[in-house]
């Protein structure tokens, strides 16, 4: 089989995509209920292993650092990805959740409306600002122009704030209500600096942002695609839009939302689509990995032997190096982290009756 297991790491606990952070040459994962471990990408060897706390609310890797909050430790920790040394630790109110890194700022708070939103300097941990009252927001998303996106679950707008002081820069109305983002991200990055989101029950909205010579400018453009009834998040992979449904994915043309094809496996699919050289990798929650051809046909299927909690790209968003070209991915199963590679060789055609694709009209 052309899709194969590079290595496998026992976690000794239930896997959760929020407890895994993929960086340029390594992956950080929470395991053994209280440890944070950094593994080398190619062979899974341990780079560092440190106590962290029980059940992280978030683990994020960005710009050579790793940030995290554990449920039983009221603090935001920052570690060096290379050495594992703790660079700084900032105290937080109890029940603080959400971690989002944007340039030289890390945002925390706003999870379930329990705490204020706070900003810290990524290099030193110095507090930059804090909202006077608790904020209820889905996981924020930094835009790279000195601003970030927020939005209240059930609200019909997205707020854009300035990272320098937390002030509101812009409000963007939505065609529907934001879903509850308690257990997953609502905003999804797409090519060309776009952001995708799916309102409750559809429709899909695409946001485009204006950036001038000095960075941020107002005038965000929101475009609604004629898609409704979406059951899960929307993402972009391989230049196509993937809408998660109860037992598969609807694949759409990003230009106008036209349905292209549907991936159906007969049981619930795990979140995550990974592009590879000649198609895509997706996984069923029951433990089957599917390698799809460029138009959705099943080229290969492989049994991982364990339930799959999520499928993650084996490279950071926007990467274009060897890892991305080789089609590396991580499958988070019930108790293990599995590193996969799909080099893009032609796989065996699916057996009769195994085809998991129904063409769109």
């Amino acid at each position: 089989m052309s899709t194969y297991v590079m290595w496998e790491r026992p976690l000794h606990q239930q896997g959760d995509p929020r407890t895994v952070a993929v960086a340029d040459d390594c992956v950080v994962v929470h395991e053994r209920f209280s440890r944070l471990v950094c593994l080398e990408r190619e062979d899974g060897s341990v780079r560092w292993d440190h106590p962290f706390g029980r059940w992280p609310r978030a683990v994020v890797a960005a710009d050579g650092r790793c940030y995290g909050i554990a449920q039983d430790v009221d603090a935001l920790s920052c570690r060096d990805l290379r050495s594992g040394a703790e660079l700084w630790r900032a105290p937080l109110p109890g029940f603080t959740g959400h971690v989002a890194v944007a340039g030289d700022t890390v945002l925390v708070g706003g999870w379930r409306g329990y705490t204020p939103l706070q900003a810290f300097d990524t290099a030193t941990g110095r507090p930059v600002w804090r909202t006077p009252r608790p904020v209820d927001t889905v996981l924020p998303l930094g835009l790279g122009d000195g601003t970030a996106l927020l939005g209240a679950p059930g609200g019909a707008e997205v707020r854009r704030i300035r990272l320098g002081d937390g002030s509101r820069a812009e409000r963007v109305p939505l065609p529907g209500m934001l879903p509850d983002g308690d257990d997953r991200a609502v905003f999804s990055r797409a090519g060309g600096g776009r952001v995708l989101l799916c309102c409750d029950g559809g429709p899909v909205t695409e946001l485009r942002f204006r950036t001038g010579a000095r960075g941020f400018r107002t005038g965000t453009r929101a475009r609604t695609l004629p898609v409704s009834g979406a059951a899960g998040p929307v993402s972009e992979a391989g230049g196509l839009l993937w809408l998660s449904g109860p037992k598969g994915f609807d694949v759409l043309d990003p230009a106008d939302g036209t349905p292209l094809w549907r991936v159906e496996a007969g049981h619930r699919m795990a979140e995550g689509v990974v592009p590879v050289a000649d198609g895509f990798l997706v996984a069923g929650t029951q433990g089957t990995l599917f390698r799809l051809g460029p138009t959705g046909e099943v080229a290969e299927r492989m049994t991982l032997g364990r339930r799959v909690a999520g499928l993650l790209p084996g490279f950071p968003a926007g990467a274009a190096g060897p890892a991305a070209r080789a089609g590396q991915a991580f499958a988070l199963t019930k108790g293990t982290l599995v590193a996969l590679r799909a080099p893009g060789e032609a796989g065996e055609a699916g057996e009769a009756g195994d085809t998991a694709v129904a063409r769109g009209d």
Side-chain angles (χ1 to χ4, degrees):
M1 301 182 75
S2 59
T3 301
Y4 61 91
V5 174
M6 297 168 59
W7 50 264
E8 187 169 349
R9 173 80 177 182
L11 303 179
H12 305 286
Q13 66 183 42
Q14 176 70 44
D16 184 336
R18 291 174 297 180
T19 68
V20 180
V22 179
D24 290 330
D25 60 353
C26 62
V27 57
V28 179
V29 61
H30 187 262
E31 63 177 58
R32 291 170 285 155
F33 300 101
S34 64
R35 310 291 295 188
L36 202 61
V37 181
C38 183
L39 307 172
E40 300 289 347
R41 176 199 303 282
E42 290 300 321
D43 59 9
S45 59
V46 176
R47 179 182 293 183
W48 46 261
D49 180 342
H50 292 297
F52 176 76
R54 296 180 66 85
W55 295 115
R57 299 197 190 279
V59 176
V60 176
D63 301 323
R65 300 182 180 94
C66 179
Y67 308 85
I69 302 174
Q71 292 188 21
D72 61 342
V73 180
D74 294 333
L76 171 67
S77 67
C78 173
R79 291 188 179 273
D80 181 83
L81 269 178
R82 174 54 54 184
S83 67
E86 187 171 78
L87 302 177
W88 51 264
R89 178 177 289 251
L92 298 173
F95 299 102
T96 298
H98 289 333
V99 177
V101 181
D104 59 1
T105 304
V106 53
L107 296 176
V108 300
W111 177 67
R112 294 186 177 180
Y114 289 154
T115 64
L117 190 67
Q118 300 182 74
F120 298 90
D121 182 271
T122 55
T124 65
R126 176 183 62 85
V128 179
W129 53 263
R130 170 176 171 157
T131 59
R133 292 178 297 276
V135 172
D136 189 9
T137 179
V138 299
L139 178 65
L141 179 70
L143 298 177
D145 62 354
T147 67
L149 291 181
L150 312 173
E157 67 175 18
V158 168
R159 301 192 308 276
R160 195 175 178 190
I161 65 168
R162 296 179 176 87
L163 291 173
D165 58 9
S167 61
R168 189 180 70 228
E170 189 176 17
R171 282 184 172 177
V172 183
L174 298 174
M177 296 186 299
L178 277 176
D180 185 353
D182 186 18
D183 60 348
R184 58 178 171 82
V186 170
F187 302 123
S188 176
R189 298 185 189 275
R194 296 172 295 130
V195 171
L196 302 171
L197 61 97
C198 186
C199 297
D200 243 348
V204 174
T205 299
E206 175 194 87
L207 302 177
R208 291 180 179 267
F209 307 94
R210 300 180 66 199
T211 302
R214 297 183 180 180
F216 161 76
R217 292 176 63 186
T218 58
T220 297
R221 291 178 291 168
R223 181 172 70 117
T224 301
L225 298 178
V227 179
S228 61
V234 60
S235 61
E236 185 176 81
L240 302 174
L241 299 187
W242 295 72
L243 233 65
S244 179
K247 294 186 178 180
F249 296 94
D250 287 303
V251 184
L252 315 175
D253 187 328
D256 56 11
T258 300
L260 299 177
W261 26 274
R262 176 174 295 173
V263 178
E264 293 180 339
H267 55 78
R268 184 172 295 277
M269 302 298 287
E271 191 171 326
V273 179
V274 179
V276 297
D278 61 347
F280 307 90
L281 292 180
V282 296
T285 58
Q286 298 300 311
T288 301
L289 180 74
F290 298 92
R291 185 166 64 84
L292 307 177
T295 56
E297 69 278 5
V298 175
E300 177 183 46
R301 54 168 46 199
M302 183 176 77
T303 300
L304 295 177
R306 298 178 181 86
R307 291 179 179 271
V308 177
L311 189 67
L312 298 86
F315 43 88
R325 291 195 297 270
Q328 290 189 2
F330 292 106
L332 193 61
T333 77
K334 187 178 181 181
T336 63
L337 179 68
V338 183
L340 304 162
R341 175 177 281 142
E345 302 167 355
E348 297 295 328
E351 298 176 0
D354 280 353
T355 300
V357 177
R359 297 284 177 184
D361 293 335

